[in-house]
Amino acid sequence: NPDEIKISIGDAVFILEAYDDADVFKKLDALNRARAIRAKIPANVGAIKIAIVGDSGIGKTSMVKSFTSIPEVVTSDSLPSQPFFSTTRIQDIKASTIPAHTLSTGEDPMNITLVDTPGFGSQMDAIATIEPVVAYHRAHGHIDVCVYGILHRLKPVDLEFMRRLAPVVNLVPVIVKSDTLKPSEIATLKLAVLEEISRANIKIYSFGLDLEDLKTLARAGVNGAVPFAVSNQVSLPSGTVNEFSALKDAIFYHHSAEIRLLTADRFTKWREQRVDREMAVEARERESRARREREEAERRVEEDRRQREMREREMRDREVREREMREQELREQQQREREMRERELREQRERELAREQEAARQQQQQQQQQQQQAQQYGGGSPYGQQYGQPQAYQAGGQPTYGQYQSNPRPSTSPASPGQQFGAPVAQYAPQPGAAYGAATAPGVPPPGMLPNGQFAPRSSSSQWTGVNQQAAGQKKFGIVKKP
């Protein structure tokens, strides 16, 4: 067939059906020839860090043991020896490819670091396991290669895991437990994995070949390219595909310089991004602090305004309360004054009523006394009336004693000599200021004369008053002393 092209890579001979595929095989052959020229010196491997990632139970820890068991490794940390050991945390295993007698002064003998990671397994939330592993790769930006194990098929969670890892590390997918698959199944699985990775737009590290070249090689069934098919078994039956040595050589010898360069470049970008993020975070924090300070200043201004309004409101309320208190006190004072005036008016009315009652009582007593006197003397006692004799003053037209009774005029003068009972008073009564025995003016009763016609004794400290001494059982007038 003129369209077929024969090409040999190592001991294998491949027949190509298109000239485009021939370029891919020529590229792979050139890579293999360049790799063969380079010397494999374990001491020159240098420092390299490899992470083994994937689902639970796919043999990640066994792959770490395979790396520590290669001839290049002269010493390594011990690993758990349980047959069913399952990693539950991220742990670093140190190994060395540098013989002790070739170590430089101060050189770290453990130049190989293998990172064993837990798998997501059958957990309900696989992201809870994936995110810490991705965060570990972000925090440790100097991880050179991440080997992602795929068992039998590529699951959606595997794609999500690789999608998160690809931006932060050189991602190399591999097919694990290749001893359980036939060579044709491995080629089919390789092509399916590459197709899924291409559709998901996940960037992987392909050791000098692009993704389309890898798919071409997978369709042709050519081994020695990504994704490598590896097995952790020591002795394998004939015809079993195991590309672990090709993976180890590509990492340690053929592409170690490129891997470190990509790692350094990625670390530099990561550092710049981190610095930019830190600067952005710091700028946001400054802006946030400035905003908080402005808000705090505005809050203080608003608080001062509220406090001022509150003080003014309290002052107004206090003035209103004081005014109300003054008005209340004024009303109470006016009420007290009204009550006092009303009490004084009541007391005054009571006093006036008491005076009126006392005056009425005295008037009643006086009327009773007058009635008693009128009953006792049969209409009044004239001056000079005795022993049933007729009233001399009435006969002579002179006033009687009853006419002067309301305004008696006491006197210390004795009766005129020779005055006879029944004789007219004008004949015997002396005048005021006249000599003893002188006659008074006609019609004026003698001073000190009693109704019985006798004169009462004289006293300088007493007031002459006629009383009816009925208590003594005698019907006569006497002299008493008023207090």
Side-chain angles (χ1 to χ4, degrees):
N1 188 350
D3 293 334
E4 292 181 353
I5 299 175
K6 293 182 179 181
I7 186 169
S8 60
I9 300 177
D11 297 334
V13 177
F14 300 94
I15 298 176
L16 306 180
E17 297 180 355
Y19 291 99
D20 294 338
D21 294 341
D23 295 336
V24 177
F25 280 88
K26 291 178 181 179
K27 184 186 297 185
L28 180 59
D29 184 57
L31 289 173
N32 290 335
R33 292 178 184 277
R35 293 169 183 172
I37 296 173
R38 297 171 184 172
K40 298 180 181 180
I41 304 174
N44 295 336
V45 171
I48 194 166
K49 192 170 186 179
I50 304 170
I52 312 299
V53 182
D55 198 358
S56 301
I58 64 173
K60 298 189 297 295
T61 304
S62 298
M63 189 179 295
V64 171
K65 292 180 180 179
S66 297
F67 271 106
T68 59
S69 301
I70 59 178
E72 290 88 345
V73 175
V74 295
T75 182
S76 65
D77 296 337
S78 60
L79 291 172
S81 59
Q82 293 90 337
F84 300 103
F85 173 75
S86 178
T87 303
T88 58
R89 61 183 179 85
I90 299 173
Q91 54 184 349
D92 295 348
I93 297 92
K94 298 287 187 178
S96 176
T97 61
I98 306 173
H101 64 277
T102 62
L103 288 173
S104 302
T105 304
E107 184 181 1
D108 186 5
M110 298 298 188
N111 61 322
I112 306 297
T113 303
L114 300 168
V115 182
D116 194 7
T117 61
F120 45 84
S122 59
Q123 296 184 16
M124 295 297 295
D125 186 11
I127 302 299
T129 303
I130 294 173
E131 191 57 38
V133 176
V134 177
Y136 178 87
H137 282 76
R138 288 196 184 101
H140 301 77
H142 56 281
I143 296 177
D144 298 297
V145 178
C146 176
V147 178
Y148 191 91
I150 300 169
L151 179 63
H152 298 165
R153 65 186 181 89
L154 188 63
K155 301 184 290 296
V157 66
D158 293 320
L159 288 172
E160 179 62 23
F161 208 161
M162 288 192 292
R163 187 184 65 81
R164 297 191 180 203
L165 286 170
V168 296
V169 69
N170 296 316
L171 182 63
V172 179
V174 298
I175 296 173
V176 297
K177 295 186 179 182
S178 62
D179 55 300
T180 62
L181 298 173
K182 297 178 180 180
S184 60
E185 293 175 342
I186 290 175
T188 303
L189 182 57
K190 282 187 175 185
L191 183 59
V193 168
L194 292 171
E195 292 288 351
E196 291 291 337
I197 290 175
S198 178
R199 281 194 293 268
N201 197 23
I202 297 173
K203 184 179 180 180
I204 62 175
Y205 182 68
S206 55
F207 298 99
L209 298 173
D210 58 26
L211 194 58
E212 293 300 324
D213 296 339
L214 296 177
K215 287 192 288 185
T216 300
L217 295 174
R219 277 192 294 266
V222 178
N223 296 326
V226 177
F228 294 100
V230 300
S231 176
N232 299 321
Q233 300 296 327
V234 177
S235 59
L236 296 173
S238 177
T240 302
V241 178
N242 186 9
E243 301 174 310
F244 181 78
S245 295
L247 173 65
K248 180 260 298 181
D249 291 343
I251 294 175
F252 283 0
Y253 301 112
H254 306 319
H255 297 275
S256 58
E258 183 183 4
I259 290 173
R260 291 192 185 92
L261 182 62
L262 292 174
T263 302
D265 183 61
R266 185 177 287 108
F267 178 79
T268 302
K269 292 181 180 179
W270 172 82
R271 182 64 180 172
E272 291 175 355
Q273 292 174 358
R274 182 175 179 179
V275 171
D276 293 340
R277 285 196 302 270
E278 291 177 352
M279 292 178 64
V281 169
E282 186 178 356
R284 286 195 299 270
E285 289 179 354
R286 287 197 303 269
E287 183 180 355
S288 178
R289 285 195 300 270
R291 184 174 62 254
R292 287 196 300 270
E293 290 175 357
R294 289 194 302 270
E295 292 175 354
E296 181 65 19
E298 293 175 356
R299 188 191 63 79
R300 287 196 298 268
V301 171
E302 181 66 19
E303 183 67 21
D304 293 342
R305 186 186 62 81
R306 286 199 299 269
Q307 292 290 339
R308 186 170 60 254
E309 291 179 354
M310 185 180 300
R311 288 193 297 270
E312 293 176 355
R313 186 166 55 253
E314 290 177 353
M315 186 178 299
R316 289 195 299 270
D317 294 342
R318 185 167 58 252
E319 292 176 355
V320 170
R321 288 195 301 271
E322 291 176 355
R323 185 172 62 253
E324 291 177 351
M325 290 175 62
R326 289 194 299 269
E327 293 176 354
Q328 181 66 21
E329 291 177 355
L330 181 60
R331 286 194 296 270
E332 292 177 355
Q333 183 178 359
Q334 292 175 352
Q335 180 67 21
R336 287 194 298 269
E337 291 177 356
R338 283 196 300 271
E339 292 177 355
M340 186 179 298
R341 287 195 300 270
E342 292 175 357
R343 186 169 59 252
E344 291 177 354
L345 291 175
R346 285 196 303 272
E347 292 176 355
Q348 183 178 358
R349 285 195 296 270
E350 289 176 357
R351 287 194 300 270
E352 291 176 355
L353 181 60
R355 285 196 298 269
E356 291 175 357
Q357 292 176 355
E358 180 65 21
R361 187 183 60 80
Q362 292 178 0
Q363 184 177 4
Q364 186 178 3
Q365 289 180 356
Q366 185 176 3
Q367 291 177 357
Q368 290 176 358
Q369 289 177 1
Q370 291 177 0
Q371 290 176 3
Q372 290 176 1
Q373 291 175 3
Q375 292 175 1
Q376 182 178 1
Y377 294 104
S381 177
Y383 288 98
Q385 181 180 2
Q386 285 192 2
Y387 305 109
Q389 296 179 359
Q391 186 175 354
Y393 292 107
Q394 293 179 356
Q398 298 295 331
T400 63
Y401 174 74
Q403 297 176 349
Y404 301 96
Q405 190 177 5
S406 60
N407 188 16
R409 187 177 59 185
S411 175
T412 58
S413 301
S416 301
Q419 180 179 5
Q420 299 295 326
F421 292 104
V425 178
Q427 182 179 357
Y428 298 102
Q431 295 294 329
Y436 179 78
T440 58
V444 178
M449 179 178 289
L450 296 175
N452 57 5
Q454 297 180 356
F455 291 93
R458 184 176 55 186
S459 175
S460 61
S461 62
S462 300
Q463 189 179 24
W464 300 88
T465 306
V467 296
N468 186 8
Q469 298 182 352
Q470 295 180 1
Q474 299 178 0
K475 295 184 179 180
K476 64 178 181 178
F477 291 88
I479 306 295
V480 296
K481 182 180 180 181
K482 274 192 175 181

